[in-house]
């Protein structure tokens, strides 16, 4: 099983472009892996507990439960609009999740992994955690990223993180695949050095926070929101679940190492340290440890961080209304290198859509489908003698599929799309050289004309398959026009020259990627 998850989004506000990117990236990978022949389970969801939710709900005069129900609806509606097709929905207020968190707390306590102690220190309200001296900046202050910092003393439950950090260090050093891309490994190892000997506070007293999962053995406390949220990856995969829970079979889901897709801001300490140590404490072996696919950030044009305070957040919902779901999905995975940051640029969104989809792919479809309809009654024929141009086109397609697969296997969607684009450009140049419209003028050229049109149509059929993980709806329309009903069952390994048989009848062409027209002042 290829088990793929995303971070679960805070439901303290509305989804923004960063959330949308991560979910579309995961959706593309899930669809690609299915095309590759894997059985896939894609889990995403929402992180609904914590102080921020409690505070915002209070301000708005509604209960936290009503508040998160409303904000969760914005996320589910957006995923539907963007075609994000998940198999499991992880909402942390789900009773099945709460039961799993409680059962993990109880077994960790029974194993001596939890203890209670009093601690006085600086507490960041925004980050909902106690701060250490290592969190101070060079001037010795707690920087603005921590928000309001207050001094408090309280008794809490702690998880013996420090029992696991030596193991974690050698595991990260020795496992080549745990962090993708690997350049993030050194950041994690540095952070681990700083973290050694520190345990993790995993409770919050009810006087301060009620909106969380109550401790099973100490009802005055709720669970720290990160400890609660991280467990979603196993609770919704069926870990410790009742047989009639409706959740999947955990052993089946976790049979291979899962991939957790997360942003770079939540690698350290949450996923890279807390989560791996939590799993280790629960008895997960090295071979069962998840792999972390760490993506970069979408920033504003000019590299600025998108933030509520500067008002430069891009709303993916409005964007999809303005430019179409296809344009948004395409841009979000096309104009960023997985792992690196990118600047969100509307002009590039329009340019990439118009150049690569409306012009190049649109032109190829138009030529292949329209000319076949007009010149050969929509019937494709092959079998005529091949020229060097034809074999070069076939070689270009083989190369393109090869490069696409290499890139997509490494989660490099942008490179995969570039590989596809190269073949489409090749096809259009071939069409310009072969000039089927000229060939059609002389009946003696009829066989040559059929061969040229076949090469174009066959390329469109392949393009519909390769594009399907990224733009499933457009790919389905393309496949319908080229009359390739097997799109839904075809696997990457089935691709070969000759998908469309001799005598194949194609459908009437309809434009799929209308050019985006923007009004420039
Ligand atoms: N709730 C936690 C995650 C818990 S996972 C057990 C959280 N939520 S979040 O809503 O703040 O972020 C959700 C995901 O969106 C994270 O992976 C985060 O890195 C990602 N992004 C948030 N802003 C982003 C950009 N501007 N660009 C790309 N991804 C960004 O963290």
């Amino acid at each position: 099983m290829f088990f793929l998850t995303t971070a679960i989004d805070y439901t303290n506000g509305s989804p923004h472009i960063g959330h949308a990117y991560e979910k579309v990236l995961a959706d593309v990978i899930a669809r690609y892996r299915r095309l590759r022949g894997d059985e896939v389970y894609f889990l995403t969801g929402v992180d609904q507990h914590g102080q921020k939710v409690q505070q915002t709900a209070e301000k708005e005069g509604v209960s936290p439960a009503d508040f998160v129900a409303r904000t969760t609806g914005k996320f589910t509606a957006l995923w539907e609009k963007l075609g994000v097709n998940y198999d499991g929905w992880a909402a942390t207020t789900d009773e099945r999740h709460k039961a799993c968190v409680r059962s993990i707390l109880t077994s960790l306590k029974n194993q001596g992994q939890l203890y209670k102690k009093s601690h006085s220190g600086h507490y960041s309200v925004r980050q909902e955690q106690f701060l250490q001296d290592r969190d101070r900046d060079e001037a010795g202050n707690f920087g603005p990223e921590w928000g309001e910092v207050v001094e408090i003393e309280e008794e809490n439950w702690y998880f013996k993180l420090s029992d696991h950090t030596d193991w974690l260090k050698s595991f990260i050093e020795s496992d080549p695949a745990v962090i993708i891309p690997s350049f993030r490994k050194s950041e994690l190892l540095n952070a681990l050095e700083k973290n050694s000997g520190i345990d993790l506070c995993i409770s919050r007293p009810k006087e301060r926070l009620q909106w969380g999962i109550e401790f099973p053995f100490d009802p005055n406390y709720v669970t720290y929101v990160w400890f609660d949220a991280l467990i979603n990856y196993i609770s919704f995969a069926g870990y410790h679940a009742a047989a009639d829970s409706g959740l999947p079979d955990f052993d089946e889901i976790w049979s291979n190492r899962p991939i957790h897709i997360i942003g770079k801001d939540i690698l350290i300490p949450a996923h890279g340290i807390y989560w791996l140590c939590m799993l280790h404490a629960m008895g997960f072996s090295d071979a069962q440890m998840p792999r972390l696919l760490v993506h970069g950030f979408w920033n504003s044009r000019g590299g600025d961080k998108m933030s509520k305070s500067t008002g430069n957040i891009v709303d993916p919902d409005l964007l999809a209304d303005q430019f179409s779901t296809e344009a948004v999905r395409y841009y979000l995975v096309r104009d960023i290198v997985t792992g690196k940051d990118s600047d969100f640029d509307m002009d590039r969104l329009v340019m990439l859509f118009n150049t690569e989809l409306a012009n190049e792919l649109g032109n190829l479809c138009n030529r292949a489908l329209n000319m076949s309809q007009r010149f050969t009654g929509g019937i494709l024929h092959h079998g005529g003698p091949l020229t060097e141009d034809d074999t070069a086109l076939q070689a270009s397609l083989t190369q393109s599929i090869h490069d696409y697969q290499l890139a997509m296997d490494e989660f490099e969607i942008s490179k995969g799309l570039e590989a596809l684009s190269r073949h489409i450009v090749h096809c259009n140049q071939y069409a310009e050289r072969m000039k089927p419209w000229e060939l059609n003028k002389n009946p003696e050229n009829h066989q040559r004309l059929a061969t040229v049109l076949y090469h174009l149509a066959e390329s469109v059929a392949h393009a519909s398959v390769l594009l399907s993980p990224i733009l499933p709806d457009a790919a389905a329309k393309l496949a319908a026009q080229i009359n390739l009903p097997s799109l839904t069952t075809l696997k990457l390994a089935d691709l070969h020259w000759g998908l469309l048989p001799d005598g194949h009848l194609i459908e009437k062409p309809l434009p799929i990627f209308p050019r985006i027209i923007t009004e420039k002042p």
Side-chain angles (χ1 to χ4, degrees), residues 119-147:
H119 176 76
S120 70
H122 293 93
Y123 185 83
S124 155
V125 179
R126 181 199 276 181
Q127 300 299 339
E128 304 183 37
Q129 68 183 74
F130 276 105
L131 301 179
Q132 314 286 339
D133 279 340
R134 68 189 151 107
D135 299 318
R136 293 178 191 274
D137 58 21
E138 277 160 19
N141 301 317
F142 294 114
E145 70 274 23
W146 299 111

Side-chain angles (χ1 to χ4, degrees), residues 6-12 16-23 46-48 52 75 92 225-226 228-233 261-267 270-271 275 295-300 305-306 336 341-342:
T6 70
I8 49 173
D9 297 316
Y10 272 134
T11 37
N12 193 33
H16 57 67
I17 202 75
H19 296 134
Y21 165 54
E22 186 175 282
K23 284 20 170 210
V46 278
D47 184 356
Q48 297 169 307
K52 277 176 250 177
F75 286 86
T92 52
V225 66
W226 268 106
D228 156 359
L230 287 162
I231 287 175
N232 92 85
Y233 300 131
I261 302 186
I262 56 169
K264 62 176 185 177
D265 59 327
I266 57 173
L267 170 65
H271 286 80
W275 179 230
H295 64 74
F297 262 47
W298 278 104
N299 296 320
S300 303
K305 208 176 159 191
M306 288 191 197
I336 192 165
D341 290 355
S342 186

Side-chain angles (χ1 to χ4, degrees), residues 394-469:
Q394 293 183 21
S396 155
L397 179 61
T398 307
Q399 185 67 46
S400 166
I401 297 171
H402 175 261
D403 294 349
Y404 169 93
Q405 179 164 347
L406 269 188
M408 298 293 280
D409 280 355
E410 298 298 319
F411 314 108
E412 299 195 20
I413 318 299
S414 177
K415 264 196 187 172
L417 285 170
E418 278 166 11
L420 173 59
S421 266
R422 278 197 295 278
H423 180 63
I424 291 166
V425 168
H426 185 115
C427 289
N428 281 324
Q429 289 167 349
Y430 166 91
E432 270 146 40
R433 280 198 314 279
M434 299 304 111
K435 297 190 175 36
W437 50 92
E438 294 289 334
L439 292 173
N440 184 53
K441 290 181 185 158
N442 183 349
E444 275 176 25
N445 294 329
H446 200 77
Q447 194 184 40
R448 181 69 203 137
L449 171 66
T451 302
V452 168
L453 292 177
Y454 182 82
H455 276 68
L456 298 178
E458 182 71 5
S459 291
V460 171
H462 279 80
S464 74
V465 178
L466 300 181
L467 201 59
S468 63

Side-chain angles (χ1 to χ4, degrees), residues 176-466:
V178 64
I179 314 279
I180 319 159
S182 57
F183 73 83
R184 298 251 173 233
K185 242 187 180 186
S186 51
E187 286 168 38
L188 181 55
L189 287 168
N190 287 341
L192 258 175
E193 289 296 324
K194 285 194 188 172
N195 225 80
S196 71
I198 297 169
D199 286 338
L200 176 65
C201 176
I202 58 160
S203 69
R204 296 293 180 264
K206 277 240 189 99
E207 304 124 46
R208 205 145 61 70
L209 178 67
Q210 298 83 47
W211 186 239
I213 302 176
E214 189 179 279
F215 263 56
F217 41 82
D218 197 343
N220 296 324
Y221 290 88
V222 297
T223 313
Y224 170 45
V225 66
W226 268 106
F227 193 90
D228 156 359
L230 287 162
I231 287 175
N232 92 85
Y233 300 131
I234 53 176
S235 62
F236 290 98
Y239 186 73
H240 284 190
D244 61 352
S245 64
L247 291 168
D249 178 72
F250 184 72
D251 292 336
E252 206 180 303
I253 290 279
W254 211 272
S255 55
N256 288 314
R257 292 178 72 176
I259 304 268
H260 295 331
I261 302 186
I262 56 169
K264 62 176 185 177
D265 59 327
I266 57 173
L267 170 65
I268 300 165
H271 286 80
I273 301 180
Y274 301 164
W275 179 230
L276 298 183
C277 289
M278 284 163 68
L279 287 171
H280 189 244
M282 286 178 229
F284 282 65
S285 68
D286 289 10
Q288 290 175 309
M289 286 295 153
R291 303 173 65 195
L292 305 175
L293 173 58
V294 188
H295 64 74
F297 262 47
W298 278 104
N299 296 320
S300 303
R301 220 166 155 167
D304 295 336
K305 208 176 159 191
M306 288 191 197
S307 77
K308 266 192 202 164
S309 50
T310 43
N312 58 0
I313 292 187
V314 179
D315 179 346
D317 201 22
L318 293 180
L319 207 65
D321 286 343
Q322 191 179 353
F323 296 115
S324 80
T325 288
E326 314 293 337
V328 175
R329 281 182 69 103
Y330 193 76
Y331 182 70
L332 284 180
V333 289
R334 175 68 185 88
D335 209 23
I336 192 165
V337 174
T338 310
K340 302 267 175 68
D341 290 355
S342 186
D343 290 354
F344 190 89
D345 184 334
M346 219 83 94
D347 292 342
R348 284 188 59 78
L349 181 152
V350 173
M351 185 278 286
L352 284 165
F353 183 91
N354 282 347
T355 311
E356 296 181 357
L357 296 176
N359 289 359
E360 289 292 351
L361 184 55
N363 238 335
L364 171 61
C365 295
N366 189 36
R367 285 169 162 162
L369 294 151
N370 246 334
M371 287 195 269
S372 296
Q373 285 295 349
R374 280 175 31 223
F375 303 156
T376 61
I379 301 170
L380 298 175
H381 285 293
H382 60 73
L386 297 182
T387 65
E388 261 179 37
D389 286 293
D390 304 335
T391 49
L393 185 143
Q394 293 183 21
S396 155
L397 179 61
T398 307
Q399 185 67 46
S400 166
I401 297 171
H402 175 261
D403 294 349
Y404 169 93
Q405 179 164 347
L406 269 188
M408 298 293 280
D409 280 355
E410 298 298 319
F411 314 108
E412 299 195 20
I413 318 299
S414 177
K415 264 196 187 172
L417 285 170
E418 278 166 11
L420 173 59
S421 266
R422 278 197 295 278
H423 180 63
I424 291 166
V425 168
H426 185 115
C427 289
N428 281 324
Q429 289 167 349
Y430 166 91
E432 270 146 40
R433 280 198 314 279
M434 299 304 111
K435 297 190 175 36
W437 50 92
E438 294 289 334
L439 292 173
N440 184 53
K441 290 181 185 158
N442 183 349
E444 275 176 25
N445 294 329
H446 200 77
Q447 194 184 40
R448 181 69 203 137
L449 171 66
T451 302
V452 168
L453 292 177
Y454 182 82
H455 276 68
L456 298 178
E458 182 71 5
S459 291
V460 171
H462 279 80
S464 74
V465 178
L466 300 181

Side-chain angles (χ1 to χ4, degrees), residues 152-166:
I152 52 176
E153 168 160 17
E154 64 186 28
E155 202 175 24
N156 270 304
W157 284 94
Y158 285 77
F159 161 55
K160 286 188 181 167
L161 191 72
S162 55
D163 273 7
H164 306 279
T165 42
D166 284 347

